Amino acid sequence: MKKLLNLLFVLMVGLCFPQTKSQLIDSIIKVNEFHTECTGGGCWKSKQYLNWEKLKNKLLTAEIIELTKHQNPIIRVYAAIELIQTNKYPLSKILALELLKPDIIETLDGCLGDYESTSLVIYNEYWNKIRFEALNDLSGNKLKAESVMFEKVKNDIEMKKTDSIIIYSKNKVDSFLYGKALSNRTYKKEYNSRILELLLNYNDFTAFHYLNNYYPQKYDSQFNTYFKTKFLDAEFKSEDEIYDLLGFIEFLIKNKDSDLKKIAISKLNKDDSWRVEADFFIRLLEKNGIKL
């Protein structure tokens, strides 16, 4: 009986004295996870998400914009997504700041938990939003839907601005962001020198794939020099970087040039970091008749 009375007292205090903005921010930071609106098998709103809803309902747009500069990455992501969903602040300005803070956060969407960069979570929110908006006047034809969504992303002015910011960022960004930006459209030739820098400075496979896809002959000698020199000493340690390495290895072992195949084998014998994802590499090698 005493426990029940204590519980009722706590509930009554909560109703009489609603949480302040600062208290709600502190509660979100304490959990320190980003939960979407749909969590768990029943797609319910978690306490973390409900606290964000309470907080945003107390804030003016200017205050939400200010929270995109908060020192805590979870707060920044919630604020950024709210602004994107309500079309109250441009993605390019949000992401330009976020790229200066390469934070990794724990996320929960439905039953799927993950660790993602804040910039990728924010970017994907806008990317998905405009893709789904493009489907509003469509029904049925799946192939047409894919085409319509691609064209929307390709031509969206805000997406173009953001992708350009990503490509020219002075800091290395999430590899998935380079992949998205370079697959969204083809760029003016003026971009090529910067894209080549992404390959040479960051060993980014998507940069190599872009140039090799659109300008294979123009950059052939630079590619060969890269693989015979820098690639062999390049470090691929993070999960993103190991998938970059997988892309390079697949290209090299499928190449008609036997010297490039030898470079792939030499790299794998020299560098053990790929073994954390060994299954992918071994399947690729076996499929192409190669044993280390």
Side-chain angles (χ1 to χ4, degrees):
M1 184 67 177
K2 187 176 181 181
K3 288 183 178 179
L4 179 60
L5 290 172
N6 286 336
L7 179 60
L8 289 172
F9 175 76
V10 170
L11 291 173
M12 288 177 66
V13 169
L15 291 172
C16 296
F17 303 99
Q19 290 173 289
T20 65
K21 297 174 188 178
S22 295
Q23 288 172 329
L24 287 166
I25 288 173
D26 289 343
S27 296
I28 293 168
I29 292 173
K30 187 175 181 180
V31 175
N32 213 34
E33 295 175 2
F34 173 75
H35 296 179
T36 67
E37 186 176 8
C38 172
T39 56
C43 198
W44 40 267
K45 294 180 180 180
S46 68
K47 185 177 179 181
Q48 177 78 329
Y49 187 84
L50 290 172
N51 278 337
W52 166 249
E53 281 196 325
K54 291 176 187 176
L55 175 61
K56 75 178 183 181
N57 289 334
K58 293 175 178 286
L59 300 173
L60 299 173
T61 298
E63 292 176 297
I64 298 177
I65 292 171
E66 192 62 28
L67 286 183
T68 63
K69 306 170 189 175
H70 198 278
Q71 64 181 4
N72 181 267
I74 305 297
I75 297 295
R76 294 201 307 271
V77 170
Y78 271 123
I81 287 179
E82 173 64 16
L83 293 169
I84 289 169
Q85 290 174 342
T86 55
N87 298 311
K88 290 182 177 177
Y89 203 67
L91 171 69
S92 56
K93 288 188 177 182
I94 296 170
L95 210 69
L97 286 176
E98 197 58 42
L99 289 174
L100 301 175
K101 310 178 186 76
D103 287 306
I104 303 295
I105 58 172
E106 188 170 359
T107 64
L108 182 61
D109 182 16
C111 296
L112 299 176
D114 203 351
Y115 289 90
E116 302 174 81
S117 69
T118 53
S119 52
L120 182 62
V121 174
I122 293 168
Y123 182 97
N124 279 339
E125 181 68 25
Y126 185 82
W127 188 79
N128 285 319
K129 178 177 182 288
I130 62 174
R131 277 164 53 87
F132 291 135
E133 286 175 351
L135 298 180
N136 286 341
D137 298 325
L138 281 180
S139 60
N141 197 321
K142 186 176 180 181
L143 291 176
K144 188 175 181 181
E146 286 296 327
S147 175
V148 167
M149 288 190 290
F150 177 79
E151 287 299 315
K152 175 63 177 177
V153 172
K154 175 184 174 182
N155 297 310
D156 184 81
I157 294 174
E158 194 58 32
M159 196 87 268
K160 286 182 179 180
K161 288 181 183 177
T162 303
D163 287 341
S164 185
I165 288 170
I166 289 168
I167 292 170
Y168 282 97
S169 174
K170 292 181 180 179
N171 300 323
K172 185 181 186 302
V173 308
D174 189 313
S175 294
F176 288 111
L177 286 176
Y178 286 139
K180 285 278 182 79
L182 292 173
S183 63
N184 283 341
R185 68 191 63 79
T186 54
Y187 293 87
K188 295 179 180 178
K189 290 182 180 179
E190 288 81 1
Y191 279 73
N192 288 359
S193 59
R194 174 54 184 167
I195 296 171
L196 183 61
E197 285 179 4
L198 298 182
L199 167 64
L200 301 179
N201 295 344
Y202 301 134
N203 304 296
D204 187 80
F205 175 74
T206 57
F208 163 75
H209 179 73
Y210 177 91
L211 293 175
N212 188 54
N213 187 41
Y214 294 111
Y215 308 95
Q217 294 181 337
K218 182 175 181 178
Y219 294 99
D220 184 61
S221 62
Q222 286 156 296
F223 293 155
N224 276 304
T225 300
Y226 169 77
F227 285 124
K228 292 175 181 177
T229 55
K230 193 165 186 175
F231 174 72
L232 289 169
D233 294 322
E235 293 185 344
F236 297 88
K237 292 184 176 180
S238 71
E239 182 180 0
D240 293 353
E241 290 169 343
I242 290 169
Y243 283 111
D244 278 330
L245 177 59
L246 181 62
F248 284 125
I249 296 298
E250 182 174 15
F251 168 78
L252 291 170
I253 65 176
K254 289 183 176 181
N255 201 284
K256 294 179 181 179
D257 188 335
S258 60
D259 287 340
L260 292 182
K261 292 180 181 180
K262 290 176 183 177
I263 288 173
I265 295 170
S266 176
K267 178 62 176 174
L268 293 178
N269 282 326
K270 181 180 179 181
D271 186 350
D272 284 338
S273 64
W274 61 272
R275 295 188 183 278
V276 298
E277 298 289 351
D279 289 348
F280 292 104
F281 286 86
I282 291 172
R283 281 200 297 270
L284 175 63
L285 294 172
E286 288 177 347
K287 187 177 179 181
N288 289 276
I290 297 174
K291 289 186 178 181
L292 293 181

